[in-house]
Amino acid sequence: MSQTIVIFGASGDLTQRKLIPSLYNLYRKGRLPDATFIMGMAIDAFDDNSFRAHLKDGYEKLVGPIPEPSKWDQFAGQIYYQTGNFGSTDDFEKLHDRLHAMETAGAGRLYYLSTSPTFYEMIVAQLGTLDMEVEHHGARRLVIEKPFGHDRASALALNRAIHAVFDESQIYRIDHYLGKETVQNVLVFRFGNTIFEPVWNRTYVEQVQITVAESLGVGHRAGYYDQAGVLRDMFQNHLLQLLCLVAMEPPATLDADAQRNEKVKVLQSMRPITQEHVKNYTIRGQYDGYLNEQGVAPNSQTATYAALTLFVDNWRWQGVPFYLRSGKMMNEKLTEIIVRFRNPPHSFFATAAKSAALSPNTVALCVAPDEGVHLSFETKVPDTIVDTQSVAMEYNYAAGVIPEAYERLLLDALHGDATLFARSDSIDLAWGIIDPIHEGWAKPDAPPMTHYPAGSWGPTEADAMLMQDGHLWEDACGSQEGMRITASPVRS
């Protein structure tokens, strides 16, 4: 049975950098359905051959040398292009006719919106006008890139517009973070090992830290970013999804809705964000030099860094702080989840002055770039009476075996597996967490905008926020010397 992938906005960077390389890798691995066709549509004036040359040039410039060039030629022969304006029903009729001429009876079809969000509703409406969403014999699925709205109201409006044409079961809201192997490993680590899940709760866990740090500035995205900011760009989707994976209950099955139901329960249990919470448990910052970026408003109050303290008010996590931080122009590119366990209730290894303590055990789930798992625990220093030291057991993914996240997500969408895609209710709940923070920051008595040097770990005020709870930011996965979780030996 044939399968058609229609990419709207196909002349853009995402198609060259991520979508086509990922589809080619799936093709090389024999994972695409037989007779798969790829149809690109955009306003640019390409024909089939010039579009194929455009994609090949982009692959080589943005990704690197094309592996197995002979297979690329075969793959490229299945790529086509249709020039069109998203506002023109005539152009969509031409696309419709051409797809029917290419496809066999019962062909499945995947529509991928690789465009600016301003075109989402327009494209969906055009598809609905021509009944291109109707599943006569083959599946019709819609993949939507983030951002899904810029606040709760706009997300609800977008959902209504899309649901007027597509059923929720046909919609795949993509978050590339969920396609990362190391993110998927969180559930395997938790629920595939009996030694961790029994202590994965408020009785044993003291705190959870989630860091998504970026070493670069806003670059060519400055115009978009200055309207969005770090909360909309990173927290509403990536960081809250990581939090859900850490905090969710075990699903009854691997079924997509069973897993997504458990994530929704976490979001429903999040402590409401009050103005008092905004004052005491949120920090916003802007890197030095941001106002000089091309496309940024001269007096912009857009945050490029945020740190939040959130709580999940349920039986498992009551009272455990979840510290989330993300920022641009930070010390290094890093994504990690750190679960820090409580100290033993009584330590008889302390010094005579009782001034030292054992370092708590820590599990660090390293998402990028040092993909793997680090477990720190205490051991005795050889040839001492009871001196102790922190040591780490580490598992690292072998270099070169981790596929691009879009590979997994595209394959899942083609197979109709929505497990790693956001459902409408989770989008609504996530915006319900983020919107009150933005509203609190806009008030006269809001915590002031802080500033931090490029190449740092963010504003010092974020350190102070944790210190008021007696905690410090930690980094177990970074490449910087001395940044791993360590402790000096405790002598008794």
Side-chain angles (χ1 to χ4, degrees):
M1 184 178 294
S2 68
Q3 173 73 50
T4 305
I5 302 167
V6 183
I7 304 175
F8 296 102
S11 59
D13 177 79
L14 179 65
T15 303
Q16 286 187 305
R17 187 186 298 271
K18 296 293 185 182
L19 301 185
I20 290 300
S22 295
L23 289 170
Y24 178 54
N25 283 336
L26 291 173
Y27 175 81
R28 291 195 303 121
K29 296 173 184 177
R31 294 177 180 174
L32 288 181
D34 293 337
T36 295
F37 301 102
I38 300 169
M39 174 67 74
M41 182 178 181
I43 194 65
D44 301 87
F46 291 109
D47 59 21
D48 293 343
N49 288 329
S50 61
F51 182 58
R52 292 164 185 164
H54 168 73
L55 295 178
K56 183 178 182 181
D57 182 61
Y59 195 125
E60 292 173 338
K61 287 181 179 178
L62 300 173
V63 181
I66 296 176
E68 300 185 78
S70 61
K71 286 192 175 181
W72 169 264
D73 293 337
Q74 298 167 12
F75 171 74
Q78 300 173 203
I79 299 175
Y80 302 89
Y81 185 82
Q82 182 73 36
T83 301
N85 187 316
F86 300 143
S88 170
T89 301
D90 288 343
D91 286 348
F92 271 80
E93 287 178 344
K94 294 175 183 176
L95 174 67
H96 180 66
D97 293 342
R98 194 171 180 196
L99 291 175
H100 270 295
M102 292 169 50
E103 296 170 336
T104 59
R109 201 180 289 171
L110 182 75
Y111 303 114
Y112 200 112
L113 303 189
S114 179
T115 69
S116 163
T118 57
F119 295 114
Y120 290 174
E121 292 187 32
M122 183 186 299
I123 294 170
V124 169
Q126 295 283 14
L127 294 173
T129 298
L130 299 174
D131 293 332
M132 294 175 72
E133 87 290 356
V134 178
E135 296 181 324
H136 295 295
H137 301 288
R140 298 291 183 268
R141 302 185 180 111
L142 180 73
V143 179
I144 307 174
E145 275 283 342
K146 79 174 188 74
F148 197 88
H150 63 270
D151 57 17
R152 189 183 183 202
S154 61
L156 288 171
L158 180 56
N159 264 328
R160 285 193 294 268
I162 295 174
H163 285 151
V165 178
F166 287 88
D167 184 77
E168 177 64 26
S169 63
Q170 297 175 282
I171 302 169
Y172 293 73
R173 299 170 189 82
I174 198 167
D175 181 347
H176 72 274
Y177 261 63
L178 294 184
K180 293 178 180 290
E181 286 287 341
T182 42
V183 172
Q184 297 166 43
N185 186 51
V186 175
L187 292 188
V188 176
F189 179 83
R190 285 189 56 194
F191 303 129
N193 298 293
T194 58
I195 64 173
F196 296 114
E197 185 56 23
V199 297
W200 208 263
N201 55 60
R202 62 186 175 86
T203 303
Y204 298 100
V205 174
E206 177 190 67
Q207 57 171 296
V208 177
Q209 296 185 15
I210 302 176
T211 296
V212 179
E214 298 180 282
S215 59
L216 300 178
V218 292
H220 69 278
R221 299 177 69 230
Y224 156 75
Y225 194 92
D226 200 44
Q227 299 298 315
V230 68
L231 286 183
R232 294 188 179 102
D233 192 49
M234 298 299 293
F235 282 77
Q236 185 272 335
N237 37 71
H238 304 329
L239 276 90
L240 286 180
Q241 286 290 339
L242 294 177
L243 186 154
C244 287
L245 289 171
V246 173
M248 65 186 278
E249 296 297 323
T253 68
L254 283 178
D255 176 74
D257 275 335
Q259 294 190 52
R260 296 196 291 181
N261 287 343
E262 297 304 332
K263 293 179 184 178
V264 164
K265 290 177 185 177
V266 173
L267 295 173
Q268 289 173 330
S269 300
M270 298 294 292
R271 185 173 300 179
I273 307 296
T274 64
Q275 182 61 21
E276 197 64 27
H277 189 286
V278 172
K279 289 180 183 178
N280 296 328
Y281 296 111
T282 74
I283 300 294
R284 55 176 171 157
Q286 193 180 85
Y287 66 80
D288 294 337
Y290 174 73
L291 297 181
N292 298 325
E293 300 277 15
Q294 186 175 1
V296 172
N299 299 312
S300 174
Q301 288 296 296
T302 296
T304 64
Y305 173 97
L308 311 179
T309 303
L310 300 176
F311 294 91
V312 180
D313 288 337
N314 63 16
W315 189 274
R316 182 186 288 261
W317 295 111
Q318 186 66 40
V320 175
F322 285 75
Y323 301 116
L324 278 59
R325 64 173 171 170
S326 181
K328 296 282 189 181
M329 277 293 189
M330 295 184 69
N331 186 278
E332 62 180 306
K333 183 176 176 63
L334 174 71
T335 300
E336 67 180 359
I337 301 166
I338 294 179
V339 179
R340 190 175 179 92
F341 293 91
R342 299 187 185 278
N343 280 312
H346 172 67
S347 174
F348 45 82
F349 299 110
T351 63
K354 304 295 183 185
S355 59
L358 297 173
S359 295
N361 302 142
T362 304
V363 168
L365 305 173
C366 305
V367 177
D370 180 24
E371 295 92 347
V373 179
H374 299 178
L375 170 63
S376 72
F377 56 94
E378 297 301 290
T379 64
K380 179 180 176 295
V381 177
D383 199 26
T384 66
I385 299 176
V386 281
D387 292 1
T388 63
Q389 63 182 349
S390 290
V391 298
M393 291 181 66
E394 301 183 359
Y395 164 72
N396 296 95
Y397 281 81
V401 301
I402 300 180
E404 166 60 49
Y406 277 93
E407 282 188 42
R408 170 65 187 271
L409 294 170
L410 284 165
L411 189 61
D412 283 358
L414 289 169
H415 289 167
D417 183 351
T419 303
L420 300 178
F421 298 84
R423 205 167 58 188
S424 59
D425 51 355
S426 68
I427 295 284
D428 181 42
L429 289 165
W431 279 121
I433 295 167
I434 296 303
D435 279 0
I437 300 175
H438 271 297
E439 292 165 5
W441 284 355
K443 292 183 177 180
D445 59 345
M449 177 71 74
T450 62
H451 296 271
Y452 60 99
S456 70
W457 281 104
T460 57
E461 289 82 355
D463 300 330
M465 185 180 75
L466 266 66
M467 289 179 67
Q468 70 185 1
D469 297 335
H471 301 150
L472 297 171
W473 289 109
E474 299 174 0
D475 173 16
C477 307
S479 61
Q480 298 298 314
E481 184 68 26
M483 289 303 296
R484 294 191 184 278
I485 299 173
T486 58
S488 300
V490 176
R491 300 191 177 276
S492 298

